[in-house]
Amino acid sequence: MKSEAIIAAIDAGGTSFKCALVRGDGELVSTWRIPTTTPQETLEACAAGFRRECHTNNLELTALGIASFGPVDIDPASPTYGTITGTAKPGWHGAQIGPTLAEALQIPFYLDTDVNAALAAELRWGAAQGFSNAAYMTVGTGIGVGLCLNDALIGRPTHPEFGHIRIARHDEDRAFQGTCALHGDCLEGLASARAFEARWGNPTRVPRDHAAWNIEAFYLAQACTNLYLMTRLDRIVIGGGLLQADHLYAKIVDQFDHLMGEYLPMNGAGLVTAPELGEHAGVLGGAVTALKALS
């Protein structure tokens, strides 16, 4: 797709919808956020924002690309493509994100999970460029993983739910029951931002030398170890709100190397990294989702 393409891109999250006008070469023309309230209110505000920004910048939209929270139907052949199929977000079960916005803007839509889309953006423009086997893990309210093997996202026509794998407990964290409503102490139940806050409070107020960070790193390193041993990845990009505490990366790398025990030549420093696209990974992922479909 030529760089003249203008994509209406959305990073649809449970707290806010980040919107952007994106050129085909990845240039962000403008960005803004819409609070996630009811589906009708949120989607109407998104559509109005795109109309406003197109008018302001004298641009015409080519397509809509969405990186969405889930579970969400990502199968283009499905009659419910672009629809939230199940979520803890009140009122959003069955919300037709893609179809509603496509009709409002009169353009085609292309949608993927937030982690798949963020991975696609990092593969094209960010920290995973040049690699055929990579993963993107987001650690926020929940934990999600997008996984690319041999240049193809896995799980089609569904998507992985890696956040609910089982992991070993840290010796200093055996009393905590976990926050996952279904599984208790799965990866998400022990290591998500929600789980962190349930034990130790706001992460921005937890000192860097607090034991909480070692426990968190132990769980995320297990996730990285499982991903690497199963798929022999070249790169694992970890983003999300909890990783705003950037000192956590070094702890994950140290724990990964300890858990691997020199079994294979990969070291954590060569595998685990932060997103190069930072807070824009999701919305640029929405753009890439559309651009790949149009190319």
Side-chain angles (χ1 to χ4, degrees):
M1 175 57 60
K2 297 179 180 179
S3 61
E4 289 82 4
I6 301 298
I7 305 300
I10 297 177
D11 180 7
T15 301
S16 68
F17 277 40
K18 182 173 182 178
C19 303
L21 293 183
V22 185
R23 297 188 189 275
D25 60 2
E27 177 191 350
L28 288 162
V29 177
S30 61
T31 65
W32 65 99
R33 286 187 183 273
I34 302 295
T36 306
T37 55
T38 66
Q40 180 177 351
E41 186 175 63
T42 305
L43 299 180
E44 286 179 354
C46 287
F50 283 118
R51 295 190 193 100
R52 179 193 67 238
E53 292 300 312
C54 284
H55 177 75
T56 299
N57 293 280
N58 193 28
L59 295 172
E60 184 175 344
L61 294 173
T62 306
L64 170 66
I66 305 171
S68 178
F69 71 96
V72 59
D73 188 343
I74 64 171
D75 181 5
S78 169
T80 56
Y81 175 50
T83 299
I84 300 296
T85 59
T87 178
K89 184 71 176 174
W92 280 84
H93 180 82
Q96 297 180 330
I97 294 178
T100 300
L101 285 170
E103 181 177 0
L105 297 171
Q106 291 297 291
I107 52 176
F109 82 91
Y110 305 95
L111 178 145
D112 210 331
T113 66
D114 46 8
V115 285
N116 276 355
L119 174 57
E122 292 290 340
L123 284 162
R124 180 172 290 204
W125 294 313
Q129 286 183 85
F131 295 117
S132 297
N133 301 293
Y136 187 100
M137 183 190 310
T138 183
V139 185
T141 303
I143 292 180
V145 171
L147 186 57
C148 176
L149 298 179
N150 299 320
D151 296 314
L153 292 168
I154 71 162
R156 301 298 190 185
T158 59
H159 54 84
E161 287 291 351
F162 190 80
H164 297 278
I165 66 166
R166 296 294 180 173
I167 54 174
R169 285 285 198 140
H170 192 284
D171 286 342
E172 298 176 19
D173 192 41
R174 296 197 176 278
F176 182 59
Q177 297 299 306
T179 59
C180 177
L182 294 176
H183 310 124
D185 59 353
C186 60
L187 175 63
E188 182 174 299
L190 292 176
S192 66
R194 178 186 291 145
F196 188 100
E197 292 172 4
R199 279 112 91 205
W200 303 298
N202 188 327
T204 63
R205 299 175 184 171
V206 177
R208 294 165 65 103
D209 60 355
H210 194 285
W213 298 112
N214 291 329
I215 295 171
E216 179 70 26
F218 176 69
Y219 293 140
L220 296 181
Q222 285 187 70
C224 292
T225 302
N226 290 337
L227 282 169
Y228 178 70
L229 289 173
M230 182 173 62
T231 59
R232 301 298 291 273
L233 298 174
D234 302 303
R235 183 58 51 90
I236 299 176
V237 183
I238 308 180
L242 195 59
L243 272 298
Q244 295 298 310
D246 57 7
H247 61 277
L248 185 54
Y249 287 103
K251 293 181 180 293
I252 295 170
V253 166
D254 288 345
Q255 292 275 13
F256 175 88
D257 290 340
H258 175 72
L259 290 169
M260 288 293 292
E262 300 183 356
Y263 176 60
L264 291 171
M266 176 60 76
N267 62 74
L271 180 69
V272 177
T273 188
E276 282 188 14
L277 302 177
E279 66 174 344
H280 300 309
V283 74
L284 286 172
V288 172
T289 298
L291 290 166
K292 286 171 65 178
L294 293 169
S295 61

